[in-house]
Amino acid sequence: MKNQSMKKRSNFAVCMQLIGLVKPLTGYMLLAILMGLAGHLCAAFLTVLGVYALLSLLGFEYSVSVGTLFVLAIVFAVLRGALRYGEQSCNHFIAFKLLALIRDRVFQALRKLCPAKLEGKDKGNLISVITSDIELLEVFYAHTISPIVIAVFMSLVMSLFIGRYHWALGLLALAAYVLIGAVIPVMVSRISGDDGMRFRTKSGELSSFVLDSLRGLPEIIQYGRGRQRLEEMNRRTDDLSADEERMKRTSGRNTAVTNTVILLADIAMLFAASALYQRGQVTFEGILIPLIALMSSFGPVVALANLGSTLQNTFAAGNRVLDILEEAPAVEEVSGKKEIAFSGAEAEHVTFSYGEEEILSDFSIKIPEHSVIGIVGKSGSGKSTFLKLLMRFWKVQQGRVKISGTEMEEINTDNLRDMESFVTQETQLFHDSIANNLRIAKQNATQEELEAACRKASVHDFIMTLPRGYETPVGELGDTLSGGERQRLGLARAFLHDSPLVLLDEPTSNLDSLNEAVILKSLAQERKDKTIVLVSHRQSTMRITDTVYSVENGRMS
């Protein structure tokens, strides 16, 4: 299956959906906004109080003394530090708490999408999404939501304060705040276009390329393709660096434009206040206080101006994360149905396709309880696909698959998986000990149960030759073991799971004749309590079966 195309969302839509995730932490967000607003007001009025004190010394009369003004300035300075600390603490608590919640939701989504929707997915790109893309959302939750609200209220408060001296000065201040905090970020965002999405996509593709190169390192060395892979890696890295350079250049221009507009706004305030002073509409205080108040209050809106370029990357990351959260699984889990016990399985006129490619056509088969059914056929004839349908990894498109006379869609997913063990052609092992890899099949299995299952799979003696026995690490993807050893551990898992229906897809393909005979003997001994469906190309494997079905072009023959 090819990778799903990215869903196109506007930055505003991504922003709203990401904000929606804050709902469980609304109280902390409100607290962060209140402390942030109070802190910025303290910082702005700290300089204003200094100007009031200076004017008092120059003979201007106020209702409070110079000493009181200096005490207030000290109080504001201390409060500014405490409130800033409190705001940042709340914002980062919200950010990292939400990142944990988002990771949990992403892994839940991946669990529902697996295996059908993840089969053939670009694993490196997926890793990039669930690591670096989610990490980038910290910028949004810690440095975006509350700063936007703070900037809005700060601009209104300061505009009203400056407007006390003259309404025109208040409007001028408001226009400066809007220009810096809204117009510039929107313009920069439009100029940036899809740069952020391109950067995140190429970053994921580079991760995939590196991961593929590491996994295929033996083949690369064997066939002398190292130089070509390195050149391609360097080309992709240079391409990514060029995109990042373009984004940084846009960010630099944004900063330059913002600082220029701030300077022009300050000059405009000075000239406007001076003109009003010459007309007698404001006093000297009406020139100095509005100018100093404006100059000291740009902090919140400057933070918004800087978001215009940095948020492109963040929104692109959020878009990729939302794609996973919103993607519909190919098969929905079933719950709330009556539990059933296994008493046989069957397929009736099943037709199934991967996209446009038809794999099974009008396929029917009966699997009686306590029988061993063999299925043979050419590669691509649909044998493995049928086992996946029995596991309900994919949904039947036409026809019916039944367990114990009950259609798959009417069986609880947990109940279904408890009744089945599935051994695939490639056994997936985790970077852990042999014992822990086996306990995936039965979490509370005792050591005796592990050893019994491994004896049936003809792997116990091999394990006991290892330095740490069952506690021996198997390495990443089990690469310290041979294909046959991994396959026998997969069979041991199936024996340990101890389900009534055992589905085996080429279970002896990597084994020699001796180990195959031992495993077939174990399967034959298990047949009194189990129903076994055995897919294999080997005629020797089929000698323990009761009935052998041949599949040709997705049809039973």
Side-chain angles (χ1 to χ4, degrees):
M1 186 184 78
K2 294 182 179 180
N3 291 340
Q4 297 288 323
S5 58
M6 299 291 291
K7 183 178 179 180
K8 186 68 175 177
R9 301 179 183 85
S10 66
N11 286 345
F12 179 76
V14 174
C15 182
M16 290 297 100
Q17 287 182 264
L18 292 178
I19 289 175
L21 298 176
V22 182
K23 190 175 181 180
L25 300 171
T26 302
Y28 286 99
M29 182 59 72
L30 291 175
L31 182 60
I33 291 170
L34 289 174
M35 289 193 293
L37 178 60
H40 280 290
L41 288 172
C42 285
F45 279 97
L46 188 62
T47 54
V48 172
L49 288 173
V51 175
Y52 277 131
L54 178 62
L55 291 174
S56 294
L57 293 175
L58 293 176
F60 285 81
E61 295 184 0
Y62 296 103
S63 58
V64 293
S65 65
V66 174
T68 302
L69 290 172
F70 275 109
V71 170
L72 285 174
I74 293 172
V75 171
F76 278 18
V78 173
L79 282 177
R80 167 58 176 161
L83 290 169
R84 177 66 172 171
Y85 177 82
E87 176 205 357
Q88 290 299 305
S89 294
C90 282
N91 277 334
H92 283 86
F93 172 80
I94 292 167
F96 293 118
K97 184 71 173 179
L98 281 173
L99 293 191
L101 293 174
I102 290 170
R103 282 196 177 95
D104 183 62
R105 288 188 59 181
V106 166
F107 280 109
Q108 287 183 28
L110 291 176
R111 180 181 176 276
K112 293 178 180 178
L113 294 174
C114 186
K117 280 292 184 75
L118 298 187
E119 193 170 304
K121 281 280 191 181
D122 191 335
K123 299 302 188 294
N125 209 348
L126 196 58
I127 290 171
S128 178
V129 172
I130 62 182
T131 54
S132 59
D133 282 352
I134 291 179
E135 199 65 34
L136 268 175
L137 297 183
E138 186 267 341
V139 174
F140 180 78
Y141 290 115
H143 307 290
T144 303
I145 300 178
S146 63
I148 289 175
V149 180
I150 290 169
V152 170
F153 283 101
M154 181 75 176
S155 299
L156 291 175
V157 171
M158 295 307 296
S159 297
L160 291 173
F161 174 75
I162 293 172
R164 288 175 60 249
Y165 293 91
H166 195 280
W167 62 267
L169 300 180
L171 287 179
L172 177 59
L174 183 61
Y177 295 140
V178 171
L179 182 60
I180 295 168
V183 176
I184 291 178
V186 170
M187 290 177 60
V188 171
S189 177
R190 289 181 177 176
I191 292 171
S192 299
D194 293 331
D195 286 352
M197 180 59 74
R198 276 197 302 272
F199 180 80
R200 297 312 310 162
T201 301
K202 288 181 180 179
S203 177
E205 290 171 350
L206 179 60
S207 296
S208 296
F209 187 82
V210 173
L211 184 61
D212 281 345
S213 298
L214 289 174
R215 287 179 174 174
L217 201 55
E219 287 76 12
I220 292 172
I221 294 173
Q222 176 183 351
Y223 296 107
R225 308 299 292 180
R227 182 181 297 277
Q228 289 86 342
R229 296 291 292 191
L230 183 59
E231 289 175 353
E232 176 64 14
M233 192 180 298
N234 287 336
R235 186 193 67 76
R236 290 176 182 240
T237 303
D238 291 343
D239 196 19
L240 193 64
S241 296
D243 286 343
E244 186 173 19
E245 182 183 358
R246 184 166 55 253
M247 293 171 64
K248 294 293 185 183
R249 193 180 297 117
T250 301
S251 178
R253 289 171 181 163
N254 176 33
T255 302
V257 170
T258 300
N259 291 336
T260 301
V261 171
I262 289 174
L263 179 61
L264 292 175
D266 292 336
I267 294 173
M269 179 63 73
L270 176 61
F271 277 103
S274 298
L276 292 172
Y277 175 75
Q278 290 177 346
R279 295 176 185 175
Q281 297 183 16
V282 296
T283 63
F284 178 69
E285 177 188 353
I287 299 176
L288 198 56
I289 295 295
L291 178 62
I292 296 300
L294 182 69
M295 293 174 66
S296 63
S297 61
F298 279 120
V301 290
V302 168
L304 295 192
N306 293 333
L307 291 177
S309 54
T310 59
L311 273 186
Q312 285 299 309
N313 221 358
T314 304
F315 284 145
N319 199 40
R320 283 154 56 89
V321 172
L322 290 172
D323 273 340
I324 292 179
L325 294 179
E326 294 179 0
E327 187 167 353
V331 179
E332 296 283 354
E333 292 197 1
V334 179
S335 61
K337 306 293 184 180
K338 183 180 179 180
E339 298 286 308
I340 66 170
F342 181 78
S343 60
E346 62 180 314
E348 299 177 350
H349 308 291
V350 170
T351 296
F352 180 81
S353 302
Y354 293 119
E356 300 297 323
E357 183 183 3
E358 187 175 81
I359 305 298
L360 295 174
S361 176
D362 196 29
F363 180 91
S364 298
I365 189 174
K366 286 188 177 294
I367 305 171
E369 188 178 10
H370 301 150
S371 64
V372 180
I373 302 298
I375 303 177
V376 297
K378 296 179 181 179
S379 296
S381 60
K383 307 183 302 298
S384 299
T385 297
F386 172 61
L387 298 188
K388 292 177 182 178
L389 292 177
L390 281 173
M391 289 294 296
R392 202 167 177 267
F393 288 167
W394 294 91
K395 190 174 182 180
V396 175
Q397 294 158 353
Q398 294 181 30
R400 295 181 295 181
V401 176
K402 297 180 179 180
I403 301 288
S404 306
T406 304
E407 292 192 33
M408 285 286 195
E409 287 70 21
E410 297 299 318
I411 303 175
N412 293 332
T413 302
D414 290 342
N415 184 195
L416 177 67
R417 303 285 160 76
D418 285 341
M419 289 189 289
E420 298 176 329
S421 295
F422 184 27
V423 179
T424 60
Q425 298 180 31
E426 295 294 332
T427 299
Q428 173 66 48
L429 296 179
F430 298 91
H431 197 173
D432 207 336
S433 66
I434 290 175
N436 286 340
N437 268 285
L438 292 170
R439 285 195 174 98
I440 289 174
K442 186 178 181 181
Q443 189 172 359
N444 59 350
T446 64
Q447 183 64 30
E448 291 73 19
E449 289 175 319
L450 295 182
E451 292 180 7
C454 288
R455 284 192 177 93
K456 292 178 182 178
S458 186
V459 73
H460 172 73
D461 292 340
F462 161 74
I463 294 173
M464 297 311 295
T465 64
L466 299 174
R468 295 172 60 185
Y470 280 81
E471 297 305 316
T472 302
V474 300
E476 187 177 8
L477 299 178
D479 59 5
T480 61
L481 304 177
S482 69
E485 290 156 359
R486 291 196 297 269
Q487 194 167 40
R488 281 180 283 167
L489 287 176
L491 284 164
R493 280 177 178 166
F495 288 126
L496 187 63
H497 188 51
D498 197 27
S499 59
L501 177 59
V502 181
L503 309 175
L504 305 175
D505 191 359
E506 299 286 358
T508 60
S509 59
N510 293 320
L511 304 181
D512 55 35
S513 299
L514 180 59
N515 281 310
E516 180 189 30
V518 173
I519 289 171
L520 291 178
K521 181 180 178 181
S522 296
L523 290 173
Q525 291 172 347
E526 293 286 315
R527 65 188 302 159
K528 62 181 181 297
D529 299 318
K530 302 277 191 272
T531 302
I532 301 172
V533 180
L534 188 56
V535 169
S536 180
H537 287 92
R538 288 189 177 184
Q539 291 299 321
S540 56
T541 304
M542 290 294 141
R543 67 175 182 263
I544 67 166
T545 61
D546 299 317
T547 307
V548 177
Y549 292 94
S550 178
V551 182
E552 189 73 26
N553 297 324
R555 290 178 176 270
M556 198 68 73
S557 60

Coordinates of all heavy atoms in Angstrom, one line a residue, residues 262-327:
I262 N 8.6 49.2 14.2 CA 8.6 49.7 15.6 C 9.3 51.1 15.7 O 8.7 52.0 16.4 CB 9.4 48.7 16.5 CG1 8.6 47.5 16.7 CG2 9.7 49.4 17.9 CD1 9.3 46.4 17.5
L263 N 10.4 51.2 15.0 CA 11.1 52.6 15.0 C 10.2 53.6 14.4 O 10.1 54.7 14.9 CB 12.4 52.4 14.3 CG 13.2 53.7 14.1 CD1 13.6 54.2 15.5 CD2 14.5 53.5 13.3
L264 N 9.6 53.3 13.3 CA 8.7 54.3 12.6 C 7.5 54.6 13.5 O 7.0 55.8 13.5 CB 8.2 53.7 11.2 CG 9.3 53.6 10.2 CD1 8.8 52.9 8.9 CD2 9.9 54.9 9.8
A265 N 6.9 53.6 14.2 CA 5.8 53.9 15.1 C 6.2 54.8 16.2 O 5.4 55.7 16.6 CB 5.3 52.5 15.6
D266 N 7.4 54.6 16.8 CA 7.9 55.5 17.8 C 8.0 56.9 17.3 O 7.7 57.9 18.0 CB 9.2 55.0 18.4 CG 9.0 53.6 19.1 OD1 7.9 53.4 19.6 OD2 10.0 52.9 19.2
I267 N 8.6 57.0 16.1 CA 8.8 58.4 15.5 C 7.5 59.0 15.2 O 7.2 60.2 15.5 CB 9.6 58.3 14.2 CG1 11.1 57.8 14.6 CG2 9.7 59.6 13.5 CD1 11.9 57.5 13.3
A268 N 6.5 58.2 14.7 CA 5.2 58.7 14.5 C 4.5 59.2 15.7 O 3.8 60.3 15.8 CB 4.3 57.7 13.8
M269 N 4.7 58.5 16.8 CA 4.1 58.9 18.1 C 4.7 60.2 18.6 O 4.0 61.1 19.1 CB 4.3 57.8 19.1 CG 3.7 58.1 20.5 SD 1.9 58.3 20.6 CE 1.4 56.6 20.4
L270 N 6.0 60.3 18.4 CA 6.7 61.5 18.9 C 6.2 62.7 18.1 O 5.9 63.8 18.7 CB 8.2 61.4 18.7 CG 9.1 62.6 19.0 CD1 8.9 63.0 20.5 CD2 10.5 62.3 18.7
F271 N 6.1 62.6 16.7 CA 5.6 63.7 15.9 C 4.2 64.1 16.2 O 3.8 65.2 16.2 CB 5.9 63.4 14.4 CG 7.2 63.7 14.0 CD1 8.2 62.7 13.8 CD2 7.7 65.0 13.7 CE1 9.4 62.9 13.3 CE2 9.0 65.3 13.3 CZ 9.9 64.2 13.1
A272 N 3.3 63.0 16.3 CA 1.9 63.2 16.6 C 1.7 63.9 17.9 O 0.9 64.9 18.0 CB 1.2 61.9 16.5
A273 N 2.4 63.4 18.9 CA 2.3 64.1 20.3 C 2.8 65.5 20.3 O 2.2 66.4 20.9 CB 3.0 63.2 21.3
S274 N 3.9 65.7 19.5 CA 4.5 67.1 19.5 C 3.5 68.0 18.7 O 3.4 69.2 19.1 CB 5.8 67.0 18.7 OG 6.7 66.2 19.4
A275 N 2.9 67.5 17.7 CA 1.9 68.4 16.9 C 0.8 68.8 17.8 O 0.3 69.9 17.8 CB 1.5 67.6 15.7
L276 N 0.3 67.8 18.6 CA -0.8 68.1 19.5 C -0.4 69.1 20.6 O -1.2 69.9 21.1 CB -1.3 66.8 20.1 CG -2.0 65.8 19.2 CD1 -2.3 64.5 19.9 CD2 -3.4 66.4 18.7
Y277 N 0.9 68.9 21.0 CA 1.4 69.8 22.1 C 1.4 71.3 21.5 O 1.1 72.2 22.3 CB 2.8 69.4 22.5 CG 3.5 70.3 23.5 CD1 3.1 70.3 24.8 CD2 4.5 71.1 23.0 CE1 3.7 71.2 25.7 CE2 5.2 72.0 23.9 CZ 4.8 72.0 25.2 OH 5.4 72.9 26.1
Q278 N 1.9 71.4 20.3 CA 2.0 72.7 19.7 C 0.6 73.4 19.5 O 0.4 74.6 19.6 CB 2.6 72.7 18.3 CG 4.1 72.4 18.4 CD 4.8 72.2 17.0 OE1 4.1 72.1 16.0 NE2 6.1 72.3 17.0
R279 N -0.5 72.5 19.4 CA -1.8 73.0 19.3 C -2.4 73.2 20.7 O -3.6 73.7 20.8 CB -2.7 72.1 18.5 CG -2.3 71.9 17.0 CD -3.1 70.9 16.3 NE -2.6 70.7 14.9 CZ -3.1 69.7 14.1 NH1 -4.1 69.0 14.6 NH2 -2.6 69.6 12.9
G280 N -1.7 72.9 21.7 CA -2.2 73.0 23.0 C -3.2 72.0 23.5 O -3.9 72.1 24.5
Q281 N -3.3 70.8 22.7 CA -4.2 69.8 23.1 C -3.7 68.8 24.1 O -4.4 68.0 24.7 CB -4.6 69.1 21.8 CG -5.4 70.0 20.8 CD -5.9 69.2 19.6 OE1 -5.9 68.0 19.5 NE2 -6.2 70.0 18.5
V282 N -2.3 68.8 24.3 CA -1.7 67.9 25.3 C -0.6 68.7 26.0 O -0.1 69.7 25.4 CB -1.1 66.6 24.7 CG1 -2.2 65.7 24.2 CG2 -0.1 66.9 23.7
T283 N -0.3 68.4 27.2 CA 0.8 69.0 27.9 C 2.1 68.3 27.5 O 2.1 67.3 26.7 CB 0.6 68.9 29.4 OG1 0.6 67.5 29.8 CG2 -0.7 69.5 29.8
F284 N 3.2 68.8 28.1 CA 4.5 68.1 27.9 C 4.5 66.6 28.4 O 5.1 65.7 27.8 CB 5.6 68.8 28.7 CG 7.0 68.2 28.5 CD1 7.6 68.2 27.3 CD2 7.6 67.5 29.6 CE1 8.9 67.6 27.2 CE2 8.8 66.9 29.5 CZ 9.5 66.9 28.2
E285 N 3.7 66.4 29.4 CA 3.5 65.0 29.9 C 2.8 64.2 28.9 O 3.1 63.0 28.7 CB 2.6 65.1 31.2 CG 2.3 63.7 31.7 CD 1.2 63.8 32.8 OE1 0.9 64.9 33.3 OE2 0.8 62.7 33.3
G286 N 1.9 64.8 28.1 CA 1.2 64.1 27.0 C 2.1 63.7 25.8 O 1.7 63.0 25.0
I287 N 3.3 64.3 25.8 CA 4.3 63.9 24.8 C 5.1 62.7 25.3 O 5.3 61.7 24.7 CB 5.3 65.0 24.4 CG1 4.5 66.2 23.8 CG2 6.3 64.5 23.4 CD1 5.4 67.4 23.5
L288 N 5.6 62.9 26.5 CA 6.6 62.0 27.1 C 6.0 60.6 27.5 O 6.5 59.5 27.2 CB 7.3 62.6 28.3 CG 8.6 62.0 28.7 CD1 9.6 62.0 27.6 CD2 9.2 62.8 29.9
I289 N 4.9 60.7 28.2 CA 4.3 59.4 28.7 C 3.8 58.5 27.6 O 4.1 57.3 27.6 CB 3.1 59.7 29.7 CG1 3.7 60.5 31.0 CG2 2.4 58.4 30.1 CD1 4.6 59.6 31.8
P290 N 3.0 59.0 26.6 CA 2.6 58.1 25.5 C 3.8 57.5 24.8 O 3.7 56.4 24.4 CB 1.7 59.0 24.6 CG 1.2 60.1 25.6 CD 2.3 60.3 26.5
L291 N 4.8 58.3 24.5 CA 6.0 57.8 23.8 C 6.7 56.7 24.5 O 7.0 55.7 24.0 CB 6.9 59.0 23.5 CG 8.2 58.6 22.8 CD1 7.9 58.1 21.4 CD2 9.2 59.8 22.7
I292 N 6.9 57.0 25.8 CA 7.6 55.9 26.6 C 6.7 54.7 26.8 O 7.2 53.6 26.7 CB 8.0 56.5 28.0 CG1 9.0 57.7 27.9 CG2 8.6 55.4 28.9 CD1 10.3 57.3 27.2
A293 N 5.4 54.9 27.0 CA 4.5 53.8 27.2 C 4.5 52.9 25.9 O 4.5 51.7 26.0 CB 3.1 54.3 27.5
L294 N 4.5 53.6 24.7 CA 4.5 52.8 23.5 C 5.8 52.1 23.3 O 5.8 50.9 23.0 CB 4.3 53.8 22.3 CG 4.2 53.1 20.9 CD1 3.0 52.3 20.8 CD2 4.3 54.1 19.8
M295 N 6.9 52.7 23.6 CA 8.2 52.1 23.4 C 8.4 50.9 24.3 O 9.1 50.0 23.9 CB 9.3 53.2 23.6 CG 9.4 54.3 22.6 SD 10.6 55.6 23.0 CE 12.1 54.7 22.8
S296 N 7.8 50.9 25.5 CA 8.1 49.9 26.4 C 7.0 48.7 26.3 O 7.1 47.8 27.1 CB 8.0 50.4 27.8 OG 6.8 51.0 28.1
S297 N 6.1 48.8 25.4 CA 5.0 47.9 25.4 C 4.9 47.0 24.1 O 3.9 46.3 23.9 CB 3.6 48.6 25.5 OG 3.4 49.5 24.4
F298 N 6.0 47.0 23.3 CA 5.9 46.3 22.1 C 6.3 44.8 22.3 O 6.2 44.0 21.3 CB 6.9 46.9 21.1 CG 6.4 48.0 20.3 CD1 7.0 49.3 20.4 CD2 5.2 47.9 19.5 CE1 6.5 50.4 19.7 CE2 4.7 49.0 18.9 CZ 5.4 50.2 18.9
G299 N 6.8 44.4 23.5 CA 7.2 43.0 23.7 C 6.2 41.9 23.3 O 6.5 41.0 22.5
P300 N 4.9 42.0 23.7 CA 4.0 40.9 23.3 C 3.7 40.9 21.8 O 3.6 39.8 21.3 CB 2.7 41.3 24.1 CG 3.2 42.1 25.3 CD 4.4 42.9 24.7
V301 N 3.6 42.0 21.1 CA 3.3 42.0 19.7 C 4.5 41.6 18.9 O 4.4 41.0 17.8 CB 2.7 43.3 19.2 CG1 1.3 43.5 19.8 CG2 3.6 44.5 19.6
V302 N 5.7 41.9 19.4 CA 6.9 41.5 18.7 C 7.0 40.0 18.7 O 7.4 39.4 17.7 CB 8.2 42.1 19.4 CG1 9.5 41.4 18.9 CG2 8.3 43.6 19.0
A303 N 6.6 39.4 19.9 CA 6.6 37.9 19.9 C 5.7 37.3 18.9 O 6.0 36.3 18.3 CB 6.1 37.5 21.3
L304 N 4.5 38.0 18.6 CA 3.6 37.5 17.6 C 4.2 37.7 16.2 O 4.1 36.9 15.3 CB 2.3 38.3 17.6 CG 1.4 38.1 18.9 CD1 0.0 38.7 18.6 CD2 1.3 36.6 19.3
A305 N 4.9 38.8 16.0 CA 5.6 39.1 14.7 C 6.6 38.0 14.4 O 6.7 37.5 13.2 CB 6.2 40.4 14.7
N306 N 7.3 37.6 15.4 CA 8.3 36.5 15.1 C 7.7 35.2 14.8 O 8.4 34.3 14.3 CB 9.2 36.4 16.4 CG 10.1 37.6 16.6 OD1 10.4 38.4 15.6 ND2 10.5 37.9 17.8
L307 N 6.4 35.0 15.2 CA 5.8 33.7 15.0 C 5.5 33.5 13.5 O 5.3 32.4 13.1 CB 4.5 33.6 15.8 CG 4.6 33.5 17.3 CD1 3.3 33.5 18.0 CD2 5.4 32.2 17.7
G308 N 5.4 34.6 12.7 CA 5.0 34.5 11.3 C 5.9 33.5 10.6 O 5.3 32.8 9.7
S309 N 7.2 33.5 10.8 CA 8.0 32.5 10.1 C 8.3 31.2 10.9 O 8.3 30.2 10.3 CB 9.4 33.2 9.9 OG 9.9 33.7 11.1
T310 N 8.4 31.3 12.2 CA 8.7 30.1 13.0 C 7.5 29.1 13.0 O 7.7 27.9 13.1 CB 9.1 30.5 14.4 OG1 8.1 31.2 15.0 CG2 10.4 31.3 14.4
L311 N 6.3 29.7 12.9 CA 5.1 28.8 13.0 C 4.9 28.0 11.8 O 4.1 27.0 11.8 CB 3.9 29.6 13.4 CG 3.6 29.9 14.9 CD1 2.3 30.6 15.0 CD2 3.7 28.6 15.7
Q312 N 5.5 28.4 10.7 CA 5.3 27.6 9.4 C 5.8 26.2 9.7 O 5.1 25.2 9.3 CB 6.1 28.2 8.3 CG 5.5 29.5 7.7 CD 4.1 29.2 7.1 OE1 3.9 28.3 6.3 NE2 3.1 30.0 7.5
N313 N 6.9 26.0 10.3 CA 7.4 24.7 10.6 C 6.5 24.0 11.6 O 6.3 22.8 11.4 CB 8.9 24.8 11.2 CG 9.8 23.8 10.6 OD1 9.4 22.9 9.9 ND2 11.0 23.8 11.1
T314 N 6.1 24.7 12.6 CA 5.2 24.1 13.6 C 3.9 23.6 13.0 O 3.4 22.6 13.3 CB 5.0 25.1 14.8 OG1 6.3 25.5 15.3 CG2 4.2 24.4 15.9
F315 N 3.3 24.5 12.2 CA 2.0 24.1 11.6 C 2.1 22.9 10.7 O 1.2 22.1 10.6 CB 1.4 25.3 10.9 CG 0.7 26.3 11.8 CD1 0.8 27.7 11.5 CD2 0.1 26.0 13.0 CE1 0.2 28.6 12.3 CE2 -0.5 26.9 13.8 CZ -0.4 28.2 13.5
A316 N 3.3 22.9 10.0 CA 3.5 21.7 9.1 C 3.6 20.5 9.9 O 3.1 19.4 9.5 CB 4.8 22.0 8.3
A317 N 4.3 20.6 11.0 CA 4.5 19.4 11.9 C 3.1 19.0 12.5 O 2.7 17.8 12.5 CB 5.4 19.7 13.1
G318 N 2.3 20.0 12.9 CA 1.0 19.7 13.4 C 0.1 19.1 12.4 O -0.7 18.2 12.7
N319 N 0.2 19.5 11.1 CA -0.6 19.0 10.0 C -0.3 17.5 9.9 O -1.2 16.7 9.7 CB -0.3 19.7 8.7 CG -1.4 19.6 7.7 OD1 -2.5 19.5 8.0 ND2 -0.9 19.4 6.5
R320 N 1.0 17.1 10.0 CA 1.4 15.7 9.8 C 0.9 14.9 11.0 O 0.5 13.7 10.8 CB 2.9 15.6 9.7 CG 3.4 16.1 8.3 CD 4.9 16.6 8.3 NE 5.8 15.6 8.9 CZ 6.5 14.7 8.2 NH1 6.2 14.6 6.9 NH2 7.4 13.9 8.8
V321 N 0.9 15.4 12.2 CA 0.4 14.7 13.3 C -1.1 14.5 13.2 O -1.6 13.4 13.5 CB 0.8 15.5 14.6 CG1 0.1 14.8 15.8 CG2 2.3 15.5 14.8
L322 N -1.8 15.6 12.8 CA -3.2 15.5 12.7 C -3.6 14.5 11.6 O -4.7 13.8 11.7 CB -3.8 16.9 12.4 CG -3.8 17.9 13.5 CD1 -4.2 19.3 13.0 CD2 -4.7 17.5 14.7
D323 N -2.8 14.3 10.6 CA -3.1 13.3 9.6 C -3.2 11.9 10.2 O -4.1 11.1 9.8 CB -2.0 13.3 8.5 CG -2.3 14.3 7.4 OD1 -3.5 14.7 7.2 OD2 -1.4 14.7 6.7
I324 N -2.3 11.6 11.1 CA -2.3 10.3 11.8 C -3.6 10.2 12.7 O -4.3 9.2 12.7 CB -1.0 10.1 12.6 CG1 0.1 9.9 11.6 CG2 -1.2 8.8 13.5 CD1 1.5 9.7 12.3
L325 N -3.8 11.3 13.5 CA -4.9 11.2 14.4 C -6.3 11.1 13.7 O -7.2 10.5 14.3 CB -4.9 12.5 15.3 CG -3.7 12.6 16.3 CD1 -3.8 13.9 17.0 CD2 -3.6 11.4 17.2
E326 N -6.4 11.7 12.5 CA -7.7 11.7 11.8 C -7.9 10.6 10.8 O -8.9 10.4 10.2 CB -7.9 13.1 11.1 CG -8.0 14.2 12.1 CD -8.1 15.6 11.4 OE1 -8.1 15.6 10.2 OE2 -8.2 16.6 12.1
E327 N -6.8 9.9 10.5 CA -6.9 8.8 9.5 C -7.8 7.7 10.0 O -7.6 7.2 11.1 CB -5.5 8.3 9.1 CG -5.6 7.3 7.9 CD -4.3 7.0 7.3 OE1 -3.3 7.6 7.7 OE2 -4.2 6.1 6.4

